[in-house]
Amino acid sequence: LPETLLFQLLGLSIATLSTVAHYGLRFTLISNVSLDSNAYKVIHHTAFYFGICLSMTLILAALLSSAATVRESQCLTAMGFFCFALAFCGLIPAACWRYTHSTEVEDSMMDVYDFVYEEVRRNTSSFRRHELTAIHEAFLCCGKHSPFGDTTDVENKTCPPDQVHSEGQDCLREIQDFLKKHVDFVFSLLSIAIGFTVYGMFLTSFLWFSIHFSSNLYRKGKYTLR
């Protein structure tokens, strides 16, 4: 069925996006550096597991609906409806969280960068300096721009040479822009998923009633003698 393929593609898209966001270089760098008191690490892991569970639920719902159509099974149809309803109940809180915490992901990620930057500025620890250098290389940015336009020793020691001489992008702005694009894309995918789950619930409901009434009509007028 075309609808089944659409639901499976949607589930695979969500799983792919969740995997890329979890194991992507930029995300893992920030997650590894962040402290336990920072909210980013919790958001990072929660988003991954939520995306994987959601994708598996959508794919399972699509497979159950397809099998129910072929076998005309009311039980499989009801299970498909339950999977779509379960996905819908998970998507609505996720969408609401995006509205109520619109900047929490960006703020927590920028807090991690601020922490590493200040640690390098106050200390000569090579460990933190390597972390800051890795962030600069991953985001193609260079430190925090001073209102006076000058660069500090931190930028000179941790930024790639081409970024230092060409006055590279401010890292806080670069992180914010990168995350805003990513989160907007994720929210668009969530909106599409909400629409598809509602459609899936209507489709499985219609299928269940169709099987139920056609089964009753098929038996109508047939009698057995005992």
Side-chain angles (χ1 to χ4, degrees), residues 34 36 41 45 49-50 69 75 81 92 99 125 128 130 140 143-144 147 174 181 187-189 197:
S34 64
D36 294 335
K41 187 174 288 188
H45 291 293
Y49 293 119
F50 173 79
T69 305
C75 179
F81 176 86
I92 293 300
Y99 270 116
S125 171
R128 291 298 182 190
H130 285 313
L140 298 177
K144 298 190 291 185
E174 190 68 21
K181 292 176 183 177
F187 184 72
S188 300
L189 193 60
T197 51

Side-chain angles (χ1 to χ4, degrees), residues 64-76:
L64 287 172
S65 301
S66 179
T69 305
V70 174
R71 300 182 61 179
E72 296 186 356
S73 169
Q74 288 179 271
C75 179
L76 291 176

Side-chain angles (χ1 to χ4, degrees), residues 40-58:
Y40 178 76
K41 187 174 288 188
V42 175
I43 297 172
H44 182 74
H45 291 293
T46 303
F48 172 70
Y49 293 119
F50 173 79
I52 295 298
C53 291
L54 177 62
S55 65
M56 292 175 63
T57 304
L58 288 174

Side-chain angles (χ1 to χ4, degrees), residues 62-159:
L63 293 175
L64 287 172
S65 301
S66 179
T69 305
V70 174
R71 300 182 61 179
E72 296 186 356
S73 169
Q74 288 179 271
C75 179
L76 291 176
T77 307
M79 291 172 64
F81 176 86
F82 175 77
C83 287
F84 281 121
L86 188 65
F88 180 79
C89 291
L91 285 165
I92 293 300
C96 292
W97 186 90
R98 172 69 182 111
Y99 270 116
T100 55
H101 301 77
S102 57
T103 62
E104 184 167 342
V105 181
E106 294 93 328
D107 291 343
S108 61
M109 203 168 188
M110 288 189 291
D111 286 343
V112 173
Y113 178 80
D114 267 331
F115 166 75
V116 178
Y117 184 92
E118 293 302 322
E119 282 287 303
V120 174
R121 190 177 64 84
R122 289 195 299 262
N123 198 348
T124 57
S125 171
S126 60
F127 178 70
R128 291 298 182 190
R129 190 161 61 246
H130 285 313
E131 289 179 339
L132 189 61
T133 303
I135 294 173
H136 287 163
E137 291 175 352
F139 283 93
L140 298 177
C141 58
C142 182
K144 298 190 291 185
H145 283 184
S146 168
F148 302 104
D150 57 344
T151 58
T152 65
D153 290 338
V154 177
E155 281 80 4
N156 293 326
K157 292 178 180 178
T158 60
C159 292

